[in-house]
Structure formats: C-alpha cells, structure tokens
Amino acid sequence: MHSIFPMISRFSDHHNIHLRRYNRHCLSHPLPPPLPPHHQSTKILHLPHNFGISAIEAAQPLDYKSKIFERITIYKTLKIGIVGFGNFGQFLAKTLVRQGHTILAHSRSDYSAIAAELGVSFYFNADDLCEEHPDVIILCTSVLSTEKVLRSLPLQRLKRSTLFVDVLSVKEFAKDLLMQILPLDFDILCTHPMFGPESGKDSWKGLPFMYDKVRIGHDESRVLRCENFLDAFVKEGCLMKEMTCVDHDQHAAESQFITHTIGRILEKLDLDSTPINTKGYESLLDLVQNTSSDSFELYYGLFMYNKNAMQQLERLDLAFESLKKELFGQLHEVLRKQLFRTRERHLGVLQEPRALLKLPPNGNGHALPQRSGSSIS
Ligand code: NAP
C-alpha cells in the first residue's frame, strides 16, 4: 500500500535530482508534466491551499515536517528586494515580476510611479524594505555608490540568512566589499549579467550571465534559494557562466571595457547614418547607441574599479599610435619615391643614388657598404 506521502517517503538523493528538475519544469509550465518513467508508480502530493503542517505531525516521523517545508521551498517563488532602482534595477524587475517573484524596491530617488506600473512595491525607507524580510537583496547601485549604500542598509532588520546578490560590472571590488561589510550569516552571490536594457530589451536568450557563488551556506534551503535565483536567468535562456571574480575582471577589461571605450570615442565623432551604410558601419552605429545609453558613471566605474582597465586603455593607445605609424610610414615611402623621381628627372639622372640601392634592410646585422672612393674616418 502507498503511504499518504509517497514522494516524501522516498527522498533519496537520486529522487531529489529528478524532483528538482520536475519542480523547475512546474515553475515554467502551468500543467504538471509526465513523471520520468521510473517514477510512474509514484503519486504526486498536491497540497491544498489551507494545508496545515500540524495535521500530519502525529502520524509522521518528525523529519517529514522539514521535508515538506523543503518541497514547498523548492516550489516557492522568491521575495526579492532591489536596492538601486535606476536603469538596470527596473530592467531586471520587469522580468522577475513576469516570472512571478515578489519584488520590493528601494532607491535614493522616488520611483514609486514607475514601480507601481511594473507591479513592484516601492519603499522610500530602507528600514521598511528590510522589515519585509526578503529572501534575496539585489544590489543594483552604481559601482561608485555601492559601498556607501551598503553601509547605510539596516542589515540587522533583515533575516540573518538573507542572500545578497550584486550585479556590479566589476567583480573583485564587489566581492571584497560584500565580504568585508556583510555579517558571516549572509550568503553572497556575485553576478554580472553581460547585457542591459539595450542589448537585452527583446530577449535574454543566448546572453551570458556570469556568477560566482562566493559564500553560500551548506544547508539545503540556502543552496536551493541560490539555485532558485539563478533559475530566473536559466529560464530566460541566458548562457550561465560560473567563474571567479578575478577571471571575470580580466575578461571584462579585454572585452566590455574596450567595447565601451570605442563606443564612447565614436560617440564623440557624432556619426550620422548615410544612404550607403555598410554592415560594418551599421554595427558601429549600434555600438554607439548601445554604450551611450549607459550612464557615464557606469563607464567610469568600469575604469576605476577594474585594475586591468588601465592596461587595456594603454594598449588601445599604443595600437592606435602603431596603426598611424604604419599608415604614415607607407605615405612617407610613396612621397619619398615621388620626391626622388622628380628631382632625378629634373637633373637628368633616373637611378636611385648607388649608396641607397646597396643599403641592407634594417636589423640584419650587416655593416653599411662602403661608398667607393670614400673612407670611414
Ligand atoms: P548606474 O549609473 O551605474 O547606477 C544607477 C543606480 O545607482 C541608481 O539606482 C541610482 O539611484 C544609484 N546611485 C547612484 N549614485 C548614488 C548615490 N550617491 N547614492 C545612492 N544611490 C546612488 O546605472 P545602471 O545602469 O542602473 O547600473 C546599476 C548597476 O548595474 C551598476 O553597478 C552597473 O555596473 C550594473 N550593470 C549595469 C548594466 C547595464 O547595462 N546598464 C549591465 C550589467 C550590470 P537613483 O536612481 O535612486 O539615484
């Protein structure tokens, strides 16, 4: 005979893996999918809305209660507090609300009207937001203001196990800051969605999402909460890239910082669309559009708080100089030839001076040939 809680009574690790997959599927599909074949004889437990834990306490061993809570947690959508409700905070909120998460927001400026439109509860006061005990706090503040904002948050009003997530575009700095300021009980997940309101306006499919599980407690509810949060990006089709904050900063300086710098240089040229745009030129116009919609503070943060950025700026400078040298070198050669030809024609001599003709190429270690009739003094 089946027990009243058949799934719960078979909580092996193996089952857990399948149940998690099943739960993820349930979150994105309204109707339950068929169970994997080896679970066919297993009955799904549908909890009634007024389900009370006390009703089963007498009949079941004690740990069933925690298992049931665990199952509820797996299904649960998250209560997420967004601190910094500017450009990027609002952009994230739209998708998280659509996915069914409860979103609370706090910012220096008053975004209550925008928040109401998005289905987000806006709190003028950080204390009020923290007293709502969100499962997760996402820091969406500018790189430059994050330390000040974080230090001003009333952390004592939050649940002790709150998961802190940051989305700052520089990661070593963010990680050090969170480790330094947050009490040990708080979990820390450093992330960088490699897209924004422009590049991700239609879809997040195929867009990279970097994350580093800097400090996630070992108990299952904390691990699941972190997975639940990451699932928000998995569900949208992001390319999930787990890597250290150090590696991120190296890659980001070589890619994102260079992209933003070129975009900002081109923006200064005030480029116009022409009737004969090439595909390449169209990409440049897109690049300007993409990077100029971000605040200058964001760009400055990429430079100031990523120790690899300066080196990339210098490389860019050197590359530009060397390209110019290559161009001017060619030009110099052409001009020189023209100059000699004109002079020689004028003098009635069409040959290059013999000494010049005999010059060896640079750097081959040969001495210069001696001119006939002359001696080296
Ligand atoms: P941002 O200019 O970097 O940051 C704007 C946010 O910072 C706003 O919420 C603003 O609050 C807050 N802020 C700025 N100065 C403040 C201060 N002195 N005190 C308190 N709050 C302050 O622009 P963003 O695009 O919204 O970026 C937010 C974060 O997301 C940044 O860390 C950025 O690196 C990261 N990020 C951005 C993108 C993107 O494409 N935009 C992509 C990935 C990650 P108020 O608006 O209330 O003034």
Side-chain angles (χ1 to χ4, degrees):
M1 210 176 98
H2 288 302
S3 92
I4 338 172
F5 300 103
M7 284 183 76
I8 293 164
S9 64
R10 295 173 190 185
F11 245 80
S12 66
D13 282 351
H14 178 67
H15 276 63
N16 266 333
I17 292 167
H18 286 294
L19 285 175
R20 268 183 224 147
R21 282 195 192 134
Y22 179 73
N23 290 328
R24 279 194 187 148
H25 190 99
C26 288
L27 284 170
S28 51
H29 296 74
L31 289 171
L35 283 168
H38 57 294
H39 281 287
Q40 294 287 325
S41 62
T42 314
K43 284 187 181 159
I44 306 166
L45 171 65
H46 291 291
L47 298 176
H49 288 305
N50 57 354
F51 175 76
I53 293 297
S54 57
I56 60 159
E57 274 178 351
Q60 302 296 319
L62 272 178
D63 76 321
Y64 281 172
K65 187 168 154 183
S66 64
K67 297 292 186 196
I68 289 170
F69 270 129
E70 234 171 62
R71 297 274 290 111
I72 295 170
T73 312
I74 295 169
Y75 279 114
K76 212 178 79 172
T77 50
L78 296 164
K79 191 193 262 193
I80 301 174
I82 296 182
V83 174
F85 204 53
N87 202 16
F88 197 72
Q90 293 168 28
F91 168 70
L92 273 188
K94 278 179 211 150
T95 298
L96 295 174
V97 167
R98 174 168 52 71
Q99 290 184 356
H101 299 288
T102 304
I103 307 297
L104 330 170
H106 164 70
S107 210
R108 175 181 60 166
S109 313
D110 175 7
Y111 290 113
S112 50
I114 295 175
E117 259 176 48
L118 296 177
V120 171
S121 314
F122 189 76
Y123 294 81
F124 294 97
N125 192 313
D127 291 72
D128 293 340
L129 182 142
C130 292
E131 274 171 9
E132 290 297 322
H133 294 164
D135 304 299
V136 181
I137 293 277
I138 313 182
L139 283 172
C140 287
T141 38
S142 66
V143 175
L144 273 67
S145 68
T146 298
E147 175 164 10
K148 190 191 95 180
V149 173
L150 189 57
R151 286 195 190 279
S152 71
L153 284 182
L155 300 177
Q156 73 285 358
R157 296 192 193 277
L158 289 164
K159 275 191 293 190
R160 270 202 313 165
S161 72
T162 309
L163 167 64
F164 263 79
V165 179
D166 86 283
V167 295
L168 269 59
S169 307
V170 289
K171 298 267 55 89
E172 258 194 287
F173 166 73
K175 176 184 169 181
D176 291 348
L177 200 64
L178 293 171
M179 296 276 281
Q180 203 187 86
I181 297 178
L182 295 177
L184 283 173
D185 296 308
F186 286 54
D187 285 352
I188 300 174
L189 176 69
C190 287
T191 77
H192 186 197
M194 306 301 300
F195 50 89
E198 267 301 316
S199 50
K201 63 174 176 254
D202 299 323
S203 153
W204 298 358
K205 202 164 186 312
L207 301 176
F209 180 91
M210 171 272 166
Y211 64 97
D212 184 359
K213 292 177 183 169
V214 171
R215 189 172 76 203
I216 305 294
H218 290 300
D219 58 279
E220 199 168 0
S221 63
R222 287 182 178 226
V223 174
L224 283 174
R225 178 180 56 188
C226 179
E227 291 303 325
N228 263 350
F229 179 79
L230 290 171
D231 251 12
F233 299 89
V234 174
K235 270 191 226 145
E236 298 301 313
C238 290
L239 281 180
M240 305 302 284
K241 300 279 178 195
E242 186 165 11
M243 70 171 67
T244 64
C245 292
V246 173
D247 285 349
H248 166 277
D249 282 3
Q250 182 66 47
H251 293 311
E254 288 164 4
S255 56
Q256 190 196 24
F257 178 67
I258 295 273
T259 311
H260 278 250
T261 304
I262 299 289
R264 285 188 180 271
I265 292 172
L266 294 176
E267 191 192 357
K268 287 191 186 295
L269 295 182
D270 216 6
L271 301 178
D272 275 332
S273 186
T274 76
I276 51 165
N277 287 355
T278 59
K279 289 271 175 224
Y281 187 64
E282 292 280 349
S283 317
L284 289 189
L285 292 178
D286 284 349
L287 175 64
V288 175
Q289 162 83 7
N290 241 305
T291 45
S292 62
S293 56
D294 286 326
S295 68
F296 186 80
E297 190 169 336
L298 193 157
Y299 175 59
Y300 181 64
L302 297 182
F303 171 67
M304 195 59 196
Y305 292 86
N306 185 340
K307 66 179 183 214
N308 310 295
M310 181 56 116
Q311 192 196 6
Q312 293 305 320
L313 204 60
E314 277 164 2
R315 288 189 67 223
L316 210 56
D317 223 15
L318 285 175
F320 189 48
E321 280 309 315
S322 118
L323 195 64
K324 276 198 299 187
K325 260 189 200 145
E326 219 171 305
L327 282 178
F328 297 155
Q330 296 264 355
L331 190 64
H332 178 80
E333 195 62 23
V334 172
L335 283 177
R336 198 176 59 85
K337 278 189 181 141
Q338 277 180 4
L339 198 72
F340 277 116
R341 291 248 158 82
T342 319
R343 195 170 62 90
E344 285 157 4
R345 257 194 223 108
H346 187 68
L347 296 172
V349 198
L350 264 169
Q351 277 180 336
E352 294 258 10
R354 282 181 61 213
L356 279 178
L357 279 175
K358 283 187 186 165
L359 270 181
N362 280 341
N364 69 355
H366 297 313
L368 283 175
Q370 283 188 17
R371 247 185 262 155
S372 53
S374 72
S375 63
I376 299 170
S377 56

